[in-house]
Amino acid sequence: MKFGNKKPEKIPMYVYYIIAGIIIILLNMLVVPAVQERSVQKTDYSTFIQSVEKGEVTKATVEENYIYYEIGSEDSDDAVLCKTVKMDDPDLVNRLLDADVTMDEVLPESPSIFMTLLLSYVVPIVIFIFIGRWLSKKMMASMGGGPGGTMSFGKSNAKVYVKSSTGIKFSDVAGEDEAKELLTEIVDYLHNPHKYTEIGASMPKGALLVGPPGTGKTLLAKAVAGEAEVPFFSISGSEFVEMFVGMGAAKVRDLFKQANEKAPCIVFIDEIDTIGKKRDGAGFTGGNDEREQTLNQLLTEMDGFDGSKGVVILAATNRPDSLDPALLRPGRFDRRIPVELPDIQGREEILKVHAKKIKIADTVRFDEIAKAAAGASGAELANIVNEAALRAVRDGRKFATQADFEESIEVVIAGYQKKNRVLSNKEKLIVSYHEIGHALVAAKQTESAPVHKITIIPRTSGALGYTMQVDEQEHYLMTKEELENKIATFTGGRAAEELIFHSITTGASNDIEQATKIARAMISRYGMSDDFDMVAMETVSNQYLGGDSSLACSFETQTLLDKKVVDLVRTQHEKALKILQDNIGKLHELAKYLYEHETITGEEFMKILEAPSEIPGVSLTKE
Ligand code: ADP
Ligand code: MG
Ligand code: ZN
């Protein structure tokens, strides 16, 4: 039984079933009737003697208990086979000789019920079983578990990439120069270990890629596989999570066994936080047991293998702070490779890498697009390029234009334009004033951060209108004033509604949320209030996934903190109201323009804002 070792060919499975079916039908058609034709007629001894005397018998075999004989012409097919009981007859031989009967073997074997059953039922079943076992082995082999039995649950499904089978190189990863540099060193070590061992340096056993989702962690790991010409085992943390307790640990064991055999090689565990979460004292659910066992096995294996053999373990996560500290200690994942959101330069490069795959107009300015897509991750940028191409196709063009890119930024960031959702005129007017309120407050406070585009075309994401602000250059540090201005800008929308319509709507919920977030952070985390000085009231975990904050102060302080937040927002809200009141002429003018055009670009906005007011005196009516 060497079936399992055969290289599986690409023959569809139903072919095997058809072949098995044909075999059964053939057996039934050919063999079974042939056996039945030779079925034996039972006769008594006297009939036999009579037949012999009449000269009808042509052939006979005398066996221990029976005599088999044929009646009819010797060569014809319709000779009838008969059987009779052997009697104690001393004359038998003489009689047969007299009648000229050939004393020959009549039947090669006596056909029996047993044979019939065997041929028509047992043989096909056996064939079926063989084919079934063969197929199941083939399946196990193609699943990556190698030729194992049907019960090999504990095998890891780690995919092995050899050499350039991923086809991804470092050049496919744009930006992220720091991460690439650190990873290049690992690739270099795998290629020339002597260079390092000569000095006595040893490579870190493991490197952990950390960063927000979509920044290219998985992509980088694949690029390492493409560059390092060594086997590359890739497995996702969730693949260790199995139905049965202990299976995850078995998989880890198996993975490292395979890796040790193939050294030098790279093992990549994606989304390691699935198994590497902090172990807590008392687990709430039974599932923790399994996870803990898997993690323990991973820790043991990482300690156990010999680093000098050339097995490097890469892992990726966007929740580094939830990882078990034991995983991060020296000797395990002791090298951290940050993979951050791209800066403007990085964004431009990523856009260019992906734009190579589509046809674009010569006039496309990537620096402009990169500027407008502030905060976008690599995955979002890839998506923006694809959306631009899709939009070009939709409009029946052969290449994507700048406008396609600008629109696709909004699609990716704010959702599709909703063509069939119509605002009533009154709603449209309110939204126009609301959005201009934001923009005007922003423009009046900070001369340097103009709006990029304002639109009141509803988006699928639910936003009715939206103001896109683009900073001229990126900020890493924000001053207290800048943050306050931001809060004022967020309150500007609601302020305009109050001022013009003397009523407020539900449209400002997102603004309120954002303003609160900033105000709270200013007081509880950035130390920007006199009352608390530089004391952290809140700590933030999960920084790459939006950040969850947890309070760390007494109940009284908490109450005071809440009050301070409200005061801060209120002050800014009043400031926004004042700005709008002072510029109410421009507010009307701009809102009217937006109401009519539905979209207004930053340039148009600034032009109207800087032009002498068309309706003189209006701005003074309130005072
Ligand atoms: P992560 O694993 O960090 O969540 P991925 O590596 O899966 O992110 O990235 C998703 C996709 O985004 C990639 O397949 C690639 O198309 C694109 N991408 C992300 N970062 C980059 C980058 N730096 N250069 C080029 N493409 C990128
Ligand atoms: Mg990933
Ligand atoms: Zn708003």
Side-chain angles (χ1 to χ4, degrees):
M1 278 233 329
K2 284 263 170 199
F3 293 132
N5 293 345
K6 276 189 192 157
K7 229 272 66 89
E9 287 136 15
K10 282 276 164 220
I11 301 175
M13 208 174 285
Y14 63 84
V15 172
Y16 298 111
Y17 290 118
I18 290 174
I19 292 172
I22 290 173
I23 290 174
I24 289 174
I25 292 168
L26 282 180
L27 278 173
N28 271 301
M29 269 169 51
L30 301 175
V31 182
V32 175
V35 171
Q36 275 163 354
E37 237 172 59
R38 303 287 290 166
S39 63
V40 192
Q41 240 177 52
K42 270 192 187 148
T43 53
D44 53 53
Y45 195 72
S46 51
T47 321
F48 166 63
I49 296 299
Q50 277 168 22
S51 300
V52 171
E53 279 167 0
K54 277 190 213 157
E56 288 169 349
V57 175
T58 51
K59 239 186 199 177
T61 311
V62 180
E63 291 194 346
E64 205 174 279
N65 296 319
Y66 296 100
I67 301 167
Y68 292 96
Y69 62 99
E70 267 177 18
I71 294 176
S73 56
E74 209 165 330
D75 294 322
S76 87
D77 280 340
D78 44 46
V80 183
L81 179 67
C82 301
K83 163 184 167 184
T84 187
V85 193
K86 187 186 167 195
M87 290 282 155
D88 198 9
D89 181 355
D91 289 340
L92 178 65
V93 177
N94 285 336
R95 274 184 224 245
L96 291 174
L97 286 174
D98 286 350
D100 228 359
V101 175
T102 323
M103 303 288 263
D104 195 3
E105 187 156 278
V106 173
L107 285 175
E109 279 162 86
S110 57
S112 61
I113 300 284
F114 172 73
M115 268 299 287
T116 318
L117 278 177
L118 185 77
L119 284 173
S120 58
Y121 294 103
V122 179
V123 171
I125 288 172
V126 169
I127 289 173
F128 254 129
I129 290 172
F130 269 64
I131 288 178
R133 291 189 63 163
W134 181 33
L135 285 178
S136 77
K137 280 202 175 178
K138 264 175 62 104
M139 272 192 297
M140 296 303 290
S142 62
M143 267 156 54
T150 7
M151 297 299 280
S152 62
F153 282 116
K155 287 269 178 192
S156 77
N157 305 331
K159 297 170 262 320
V160 188
Y161 294 109
V162 188
K163 248 175 158 180
S164 56
S165 64
T166 66
I168 294 168
K169 296 271 171 185
F170 276 143
S171 57
D172 292 313
V173 189
E176 309 299 349
D177 294 325
E178 197 190 341
K180 275 197 267 184
E181 201 174 298
L182 289 168
L183 289 169
T184 313
E185 197 180 285
I186 291 176
V187 173
D188 186 51
Y189 169 75
L190 289 173
H191 284 172
N192 320 295
H194 305 297
K195 202 165 100 188
Y196 295 82
T197 45
E198 247 168 39
I199 306 183
S202 66
M203 262 289 120
K205 275 187 188 175
L208 188 64
L209 296 159
V210 296
T215 44
K217 297 182 294 298
T218 308
L219 191 70
L220 271 166
K222 283 188 187 157
V224 171
E227 297 273 343
E229 297 176 356
V230 296
F232 184 82
F233 295 85
S234 161
I235 190 164
S236 168
S238 59
E239 284 173 58
F240 288 115
V241 182
E242 282 270 337
M243 193 164 34
F244 305 112
V245 174
M247 284 304 155
K251 276 193 166 184
V252 172
R253 219 175 298 130
D254 181 61
L255 175 67
F256 279 83
K257 201 171 133 252
Q258 283 189 48
N260 261 324
E261 285 162 7
K262 289 255 161 64
C265 67
I266 298 168
V267 176
F268 175 54
I269 306 174
D270 207 353
E271 314 286 351
I272 195 172
D273 43 279
T274 334
I275 50 167
K277 261 192 232 120
K278 280 194 189 82
R279 291 163 289 186
D280 41 5
F284 286 112
T285 54
N288 273 356
D289 249 7
E290 161 69 349
R291 223 195 55 222
E292 243 168 65
Q293 275 194 24
T294 312
L295 176 57
N296 283 334
Q297 188 64 39
L298 182 65
L299 296 176
T300 317
E301 293 289 347
M302 286 198 74
D303 283 343
F305 77 83
D306 183 2
S308 65
K309 240 181 129 181
V311 182
V312 172
I313 302 169
L314 289 181
T317 179
N318 37 37
R319 312 188 53 189
D321 42 3
S322 78
L323 288 182
D324 197 283
L327 262 181
L328 303 173
R329 78 144 171 72
R332 287 173 186 150
F333 289 108
D334 40 10
R335 179 172 282 189
R336 256 191 199 225
I337 301 180
V339 187
E340 297 288 350
L341 285 174
D343 57 6
I344 185 158
Q345 182 96 33
R347 288 199 297 274
E348 196 178 328
E349 281 169 32
I350 294 174
L351 283 168
K352 281 181 180 161
V353 163
H354 286 278
K356 275 191 205 134
K357 297 171 203 155
I358 67 165
K359 290 206 177 78
I360 53 164
D362 298 335
T363 49
V364 172
R365 297 266 316 268
F366 285 110
D367 52 342
E368 290 286 321
I369 305 162
K371 200 197 262 181
S377 69
E380 278 167 330
L381 291 167
N383 201 2
I384 284 171
V385 173
N386 190 45
E387 281 292 340
L390 286 178
R391 209 178 100 100
V393 174
R394 223 176 288 142
D395 291 0
R397 266 177 284 110
K398 290 258 179 281
F399 43 79
T401 63
Q402 182 79 11
D404 290 330
F405 279 99
E406 304 233 323
E407 170 64 21
S408 67
I409 292 173
E410 287 166 54
V411 167
V412 171
I413 292 168
Y416 285 95
Q417 276 188 13
K418 228 176 185 173
K419 290 264 158 64
N420 52 3
R421 179 158 158 194
V422 193
L423 292 182
S424 74
N425 285 346
K426 169 88 177 171
E427 280 171 334
K428 215 169 118 185
L429 196 64
I430 295 177
V431 176
S432 298
Y433 273 99
H434 179 107
E435 296 306 330
I436 294 294
H438 285 306
L440 200 53
V441 172
K444 282 289 163 189
Q445 289 178 121
T446 54
E447 312 299 324
S448 64
V451 283
H452 181 77
K453 185 173 178 179
I454 309 168
T455 161
I456 53 167
I457 300 169
R459 300 273 149 184
T460 42
S461 67
L464 292 180
Y466 118 106
T467 307
M468 212 164 127
Q469 254 181 295
V470 179
D471 293 334
E472 273 308 309
Q473 63 230 339
E474 278 182 296
H475 284 277
Y476 296 103
L477 283 176
M478 297 266 262
T479 62
K480 186 177 173 187
E481 285 67 39
E482 279 170 328
L483 287 171
E484 281 175 351
N485 288 351
K486 259 194 138 145
I487 298 175
T489 304
F490 278 121
T491 60
R494 163 68 66 88
E497 288 181 41
E498 286 171 83
L499 207 60
I500 307 298
F501 302 100
H502 305 291
S503 73
I504 51 179
T505 65
T506 54
S509 61
N510 185 46
D511 300 337
I512 291 170
E513 210 174 286
Q514 299 280 351
T516 314
K517 219 184 211 169
I518 297 175
R520 211 180 165 82
M522 281 174 72
I523 294 168
S524 69
R525 286 164 46 208
Y526 304 144
M528 287 181 178
S529 89
D530 302 331
D531 302 80
F532 298 123
D533 202 58
M534 284 183 59
V535 174
M537 301 294 149
E538 275 177 340
T539 49
V540 169
S541 54
N542 259 341
Q543 53 158 331
Y544 290 124
L545 297 174
D548 305 327
S549 45
S550 44
L551 277 171
C553 55
S554 72
F555 186 70
E556 288 77 36
T557 322
Q558 215 171 311
T559 319
L560 187 61
L561 188 124
D562 287 336
K563 196 180 163 301
K564 288 279 155 200
V565 172
V566 175
D567 288 347
L568 178 56
V569 175
R570 180 173 291 138
T571 318
Q572 296 310 314
H573 189 169
E574 274 156 15
K575 184 169 105 190
L577 270 171
K578 172 107 181 29
I579 290 173
L580 292 178
Q581 221 149 25
D582 291 347
N583 297 280
I584 199 153
K586 288 291 172 197
L587 177 63
H588 283 301
E589 213 178 306
L590 284 161
K592 194 164 149 264
Y593 186 93
L594 181 61
Y595 177 78
E596 279 161 10
H597 293 81
E598 297 204 335
T599 338
I600 178 171
T601 65
E603 282 145 42
E604 288 169 328
F605 180 89
M606 286 316 281
K607 220 164 85 194
I608 297 173
L609 189 63
E610 276 156 12
S613 187
E614 273 174 26
I615 328 167
V618 173
S619 59
L620 299 172
T621 48
K622 278 263 154 185
E623 288 185 358

